[in-house]
Amino acid sequence: MFTLTHPDGHQLSTDPGRIDRDRVHHWLSTDAYRALGRDREAVRDHLASFGVRRIGLATLDAHGVYPKLGFTPVPPQRWMEGVSER
């Protein structure tokens, strides 16, 4: 885990204990373009209406955070990637 403090005093941290889920949802539902006015269930239902059943997530160091949010590990043999070198 690390914490980065910007010159203006704002902090960015990977500490899962510092995540205020209610505040994050409030920000997403009131300020972020894609989630304005939506509650958590509405976002889930919206994705389901497009047939989305699975969301992929990649992380280097936050494996302890995402199970608390409903994510489960995926066997690594199933993943492949192609990277464009532009």
Side-chain angles (χ1 to χ4, degrees):
M1 286 185 278
F2 75 91
T3 299
L4 173 67
T5 303
H6 293 271
D8 64 2
H10 284 88
Q11 292 185 333
L12 175 66
S13 176
T14 60
D15 181 354
R18 296 189 64 189
I19 296 173
D20 182 341
R21 292 181 190 170
D22 292 332
R23 183 178 224 174
V24 170
H25 176 259
H26 176 77
W27 175 77
L28 288 171
S29 65
T30 61
D31 297 324
Y33 171 76
R34 299 228 181 241
L36 287 176
R38 298 182 186 177
D39 61 21
R40 292 173 182 154
E41 291 76 23
V43 172
R44 205 172 300 140
D45 293 346
H46 177 73
L47 293 173
S49 74
F50 288 99
V52 175
R53 297 179 356 166
R54 181 174 291 133
I55 296 173
L57 173 79
T59 181
L60 290 175
D61 58 2
H63 294 85
V65 173
Y66 296 107
K68 298 173 189 171
L69 302 174
F71 287 86
T72 57
V74 176
Q77 300 83 355
R78 294 182 183 212
W79 287 92
M80 298 179 77
E81 77 174 338
V83 178
S84 174
E85 298 194 24
R86 293 183 190 190

